């Protein structure tokens, strides 16, 4: 498996991003090869989240030392958003599409990252979704509510689709997430004719297998990409950060819709990834999200590729 830091946003775009996003650097793409497949982790920018969004259900007396050890500073959290692109010589596949312009100002930069590696929206043959949250789904449409990846077949797990397309979801979801539900349903309804649904365990495209990883959302999917003897797991938000998710995977996270189930999924993934020494790409992990899981006495840690 070969890895290189690929590129940054063009100078003018990077300067504008830094000016508008509080000076945080915005990378464009990181590249690795898995067998004969090229994978790029593309930046959609980053989110700006209150700490309580993740930390609210965690034991406060234990949380502080973990955050200090991991070097997590005070103030809002600003996790990266990493969209995975796979090219196998025949298909050009996006895993998630970022948030577009309708969610947070600091995100929605995917088109710039694609441009940096000279991939146009019409080059995308398939768009595969881990789940239906705004930072993964809302970039499906452009600013005029037209399909952004108009040549692509769109794919989502059946359980996830059924959840977000259901009008009752907006009535039953936590009130803080109602906008997410309304926004997801509107976009999925507009794109319904372009979607194909799949189930857990299916090889949805050559060398790409769906793995149900529920809890963050009801039908959240990860995807195992395999070529020859090598593989990497696109984990989406099943592992949502590089600090407490690794150090204490069994802790509930406020970012998850079913916190108990998500913690069980997270702990199982940590064990699998560390035991099998399989690489992962995490949507909200640093360094393009590419790395591996290392077991520690009291938990795990994220080791970026090349570190």
């Amino acid at each position: 498996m070969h890895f290189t830091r690929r590129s940054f946003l063009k100078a003018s775009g990077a300067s504008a991003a830094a000016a508008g996003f509080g000076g945080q650097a915005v990378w464009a793409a990181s590249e690795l090869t898995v067998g004969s497949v090229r994978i790029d982790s593309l930046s959609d920018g980053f989110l700006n989240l209150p700490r309580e969004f993740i930390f609210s259900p965690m034991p406060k007396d234990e949380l502080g030392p973990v955050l200090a050890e991991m070097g997590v500073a005070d103030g809002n959290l600003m996790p990266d958003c990493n969209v995975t692109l796979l090219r196998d010589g025949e298909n050009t596949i996006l895993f998630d599409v970022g948030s577009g312009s309708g969610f947070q100002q600091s995100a929605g930069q995917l088109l710039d990252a694609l441009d940096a590696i000279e991939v146009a929206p019409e080059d995308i043959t398939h768009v595969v979704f881990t789940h239906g949250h705004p930072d993964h789904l809302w970039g499906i449409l452009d600013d005029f509510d037209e399909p952004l990846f108009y040549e692509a077949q769109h794919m989502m797990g059946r359980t996830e689709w059924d959840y977000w397309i259901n009008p009752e979801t907006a009535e039953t979801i936590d009130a803080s997430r109602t906008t997410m539900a309304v926004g997801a349903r509107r976009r999925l309804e507009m794109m319904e004719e372009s979607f194909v649904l799949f189930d857990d365990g299916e090889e949805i495209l050559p060398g790409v297998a769906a793995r149900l990883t529920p809890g963050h959302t009801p039908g959240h999917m990860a995807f195992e990409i395999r070529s020859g003897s090598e593989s990497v797991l696109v984990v989406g938000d099943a592992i949502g950060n590089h600090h407490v998710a690794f150090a204490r995977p069994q802790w509930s996270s406020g970012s998850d819709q079913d916190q108990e189930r998500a913690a069980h999924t997270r702990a199982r993934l940590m064990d699998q990834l560390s035991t099998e020494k399989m690489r992962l790409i995490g949507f909200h992990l640093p360094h393009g999200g590419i790395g591996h899981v290392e077991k520690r006495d009291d938990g795990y840690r994220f080791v970026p590729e090349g570190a």
Side-chain angles (χ1 to χ4, degrees), residues 34-284:
V34 178
S36 61
V37 169
R38 171 173 170 173
I39 297 175
D40 292 273
S41 180
L42 306 173
S43 177
D44 192 51
F46 63 94
L47 300 183
N48 193 331
L49 302 173
R51 297 168 75 81
E52 294 75 17
F53 182 72
I54 292 176
F55 299 148
S56 59
M58 298 179 182
K60 300 302 184 288
D61 57 334
E62 299 179 55
L63 176 61
V66 170
L67 296 182
E69 180 184 358
M70 300 299 297
V72 179
D74 294 337
N76 281 6
L77 303 172
M78 293 188 288
D80 291 337
C81 297
N82 309 308
V83 175
T84 300
L85 178 76
L86 181 156
R87 286 178 280 181
D88 62 7
E90 180 176 352
N91 297 312
T92 301
I93 306 164
L94 272 180
F95 295 86
D96 296 327
V97 294
S99 62
S101 61
F103 187 50
Q104 290 195 5
Q105 182 186 4
S106 57
Q109 308 302 307
L110 178 59
L111 288 182
D112 288 334
L114 284 167
D115 184 62
I117 59 169
E118 300 180 342
V119 174
E122 60 268 26
D123 296 333
I124 305 301
T125 61
H126 300 81
V127 175
V128 181
F129 291 95
T130 60
H131 64 297
H133 280 167
D135 50 330
H136 298 254
L137 173 68
W138 284 17
I140 196 173
L141 301 175
D142 65 18
D143 291 343
F144 302 97
D145 274 352
E146 295 293 333
L148 185 56
F149 303 102
Y150 50 87
E151 296 289 348
Q153 181 180 83
H154 292 65
M155 309 178 76
M156 181 177 280
R158 192 178 313 276
T159 299
E160 190 74 359
W161 172 276
D162 289 345
Y163 177 75
W164 294 110
I165 203 73
N166 187 345
E168 294 183 3
T169 296
E171 305 298 324
T172 57
I173 201 170
D174 185 272
S176 65
R177 300 176 187 262
T178 300
T179 300
M180 295 185 182
V182 172
R185 182 171 179 241
R186 182 178 76 83
R187 288 165 174 81
L188 294 180
E189 284 184 331
M190 294 183 69
M191 293 292 295
E192 188 165 5
E193 295 301 316
S194 299
F195 266 86
V196 171
L197 306 183
F198 56 85
D199 296 302
D200 179 33
E202 289 188 28
E203 184 176 29
I204 61 172
L205 290 163
V208 180
R211 300 283 184 254
L212 183 64
T213 46
H216 184 69
T217 60
H220 186 287
M221 287 281 185
F223 299 96
E224 182 178 346
I225 300 169
R226 183 170 292 278
S227 178
S229 62
E230 296 183 307
S231 63
V232 63
L233 192 68
V234 178
V235 301
D237 283 5
I239 301 174
N241 59 72
H242 69 286
H243 34 80
V244 289
F246 284 81
R248 300 291 186 272
Q250 72 277 13
W251 283 359
S252 293
S253 171
S255 64
D256 297 324
Q257 291 186 216
D258 184 335
Q259 296 178 10
E260 182 177 353
R261 195 176 191 193
H264 175 77
T265 294
R266 191 162 48 246
R268 176 173 54 83
L269 277 175
M270 292 291 181
D271 180 66
Q272 175 192 351
L273 290 166
S274 63
T275 300
E276 297 180 7
K277 302 187 185 306
M278 184 188 296
R279 270 28 180 198
L280 78 155
I281 306 176
F283 194 87
H284 292 304

